[in-house]
Amino acid sequence: MPLLVVENLSISLFDEGHETQLVDRISYQVEQGETLAIVGESGSGKSLSSLSVMGLLAKELRVTSGRIMLDGEDLLSLSSEEMRQRRGRDLSMVFQEPMTSLNPVRTIGSQIMESIEENLGFSRSAARTRAIELLQEVGMADAERRLRQYPHHFSGGMRQRVMIAIALAANPKLIIADEPTTALDVTIQAQILELMTRLCREHGTALVLITHNLGIVARYAQRVTVMYGGRIVEAGRAVDLYHRPRHPYTEGLLRSVPRLDQDRTQPLRPIQGSPADPFMKITGCRFHPRCPYAAPVCRETKPAFEAGAACHFPLNQESRDAS
């Protein structure tokens, strides 16, 4: 049985009596110990869906349909207190900007130890020993001294290592990493992703990696889910998606980033237009205003998700070669 099952999940914003659907009936699964990447531009709904899994949606946002099953238990049926008890112990989250996630007036050690004491019931001395072990595990030198320091004493990459240590503190079954390398330079990005995926593999923890960059997940994810305009437009094995994209949006994402397997003189081809506006009513496929293959049916009818893609005219090798 899959560890996490998200089924027909819809999320809406309720503001002054008006409802705006932001996530439209998405479904995906995560197996035990698997790394799944969820990819899409800003506003595609990938972060909202992850916050709903964690039970951290703002009060203006509401899940309007669907189920979120973790180990066979529907998280949406739990009370806020029951959900609080599962955060950290069963599932954890690494946010994209650790400086806003860490408490600036508390030491690093107290923040790591809090999770250990709360979720594992360790004594203070045992929690301190475990916190030192975690800092060493994420590659931090002089861990005992570091416990007494505050977040502003650390660089961005080191703060993100602290966040990974906190996420791993109670040995959760699932970690959701929401753009964990956005605020870091390219070299540190690679180090953090290598560290996170290695530790999850060693601990047997499933990882959901949320990003806007298809390039950084090729090395780390077994499967990829692509979101656009609040919908999943393509999903499948990473190797298949990279070599044989089925949806024009996925193809556009791949063409807009440099690739080592292509001629360096070949120009990048960015996706024309702007991302879908959730407040603008669009009938049919939400990608059709930007799609080079759009036909009348794309403007009139929402495509069903079939054979790994939500497209009336999924791409094949011939259509790609012709383009």
Side-chain angles (χ1 to χ4, degrees):
M1 182 177 70
L3 173 65
L4 176 70
V5 178
V6 176
E7 184 179 284
N8 294 323
L9 179 68
S10 296
I11 303 172
S12 292
L13 169 68
F14 292 86
D15 183 36
E16 297 182 352
H18 299 287
E19 178 183 354
T20 303
Q21 189 176 60
L22 303 179
V23 174
D24 181 13
R25 300 179 68 82
I26 67 169
S27 299
Y28 63 87
Q29 299 181 354
V30 184
E31 302 291 337
Q32 300 271 357
E34 179 186 34
T35 297
L36 169 73
I38 301 180
V39 181
E41 294 171 294
S42 297
S44 62
K46 56 190 189 299
S47 293
L48 274 183
S49 60
S50 67
L51 288 172
S52 68
V53 173
M54 295 295 298
L56 294 174
L57 287 176
K59 63 179 181 180
E60 298 86 4
L61 299 167
R62 193 181 310 159
V63 174
T64 55
S65 71
R67 299 191 303 167
I68 301 174
M69 308 294 293
L70 182 69
D71 256 356
E73 182 177 38
D74 189 357
L75 298 182
L76 296 178
S77 68
L78 302 181
S79 67
S80 58
E81 176 60 23
E82 290 172 327
M83 194 65 209
R84 187 191 68 80
Q85 292 175 2
R86 280 159 177 75
R87 283 195 292 269
R89 189 184 65 194
D90 293 331
L91 65 167
S92 294
M93 192 163 187
V94 178
F95 295 92
Q96 61 179 289
E97 180 42 72
M99 197 58 187
T100 60
S101 303
L102 294 169
N103 190 327
V105 299
R106 294 181 58 195
T107 63
I108 291 299
S110 69
Q111 297 184 63
I112 301 175
M113 291 164 60
E114 178 183 40
S115 178
I116 299 170
E117 293 171 350
E118 175 72 20
N119 294 298
L120 299 180
F122 281 24
S123 66
R124 188 159 186 80
S125 60
R128 188 174 187 278
T129 300
R130 175 61 178 150
I132 293 173
E133 293 173 351
L134 283 166
L135 288 182
Q136 292 171 339
E137 199 170 359
V138 298
M140 197 168 292
D142 199 3
E144 191 168 355
R145 179 179 64 87
R146 289 293 198 174
L147 282 182
R148 300 189 297 271
Q149 294 183 324
Y150 293 85
H152 68 269
H153 291 129
F154 294 75
S155 66
M158 297 298 275
R159 285 194 292 266
Q160 199 61 288
R161 289 172 187 264
V162 172
M163 291 298 299
I164 295 171
I166 293 173
L168 288 168
N171 298 317
K173 302 170 185 175
L174 172 71
I175 292 179
I176 299 174
D178 186 5
E179 303 274 10
T181 61
T182 296
L184 307 176
D185 64 57
V186 175
T187 303
I188 303 301
Q189 282 185 17
Q191 293 177 4
I192 294 298
L193 288 170
E194 289 283 355
L195 172 67
M196 190 179 304
T197 52
R198 176 178 63 80
L199 290 176
C200 285
R201 185 169 60 249
E202 291 174 356
H203 287 260
T205 303
L207 175 64
V208 176
L209 180 61
I210 299 170
T211 179
H212 63 275
N213 187 349
L214 262 177
I216 70 172
V217 300
R219 180 181 175 89
Y220 306 106
Q222 285 86 50
R223 291 188 300 114
V224 179
T225 293
V226 182
M227 291 189 67
Y228 183 81
R231 296 196 75 200
I232 292 177
V233 296
E234 185 165 0
R237 294 194 312 153
V239 62
D240 295 333
L241 187 138
Y242 274 86
H243 293 289
R244 295 177 295 277
R246 300 274 289 162
H247 196 280
Y249 177 61
T250 309
E251 181 187 56
L253 288 177
L254 289 169
R255 286 178 170 176
S256 63
V257 295
R259 294 179 57 168
L260 294 176
D261 60 349
Q262 292 182 345
D263 187 348
R264 288 189 300 174
T265 63
Q266 182 174 333
L268 299 180
R269 296 168 60 180
I271 301 174
Q272 301 298 317
S274 301
D277 182 351
F279 298 97
M280 181 179 296
K281 185 173 179 60
I282 298 178
T283 57
C285 174
R286 293 192 64 83
F287 187 62
H288 85 253
R290 307 174 70 188
C291 181
Y293 311 108
V297 66
C298 303
R299 300 176 179 87
E300 299 162 1
T301 307
K302 181 188 297 185
F305 189 90
E306 297 176 343
C311 184
H312 291 296
F313 306 103
L315 303 176
N316 53 38
Q317 188 62 51
E318 290 73 23
S319 66
R320 288 198 303 275
D321 292 341
S323 64

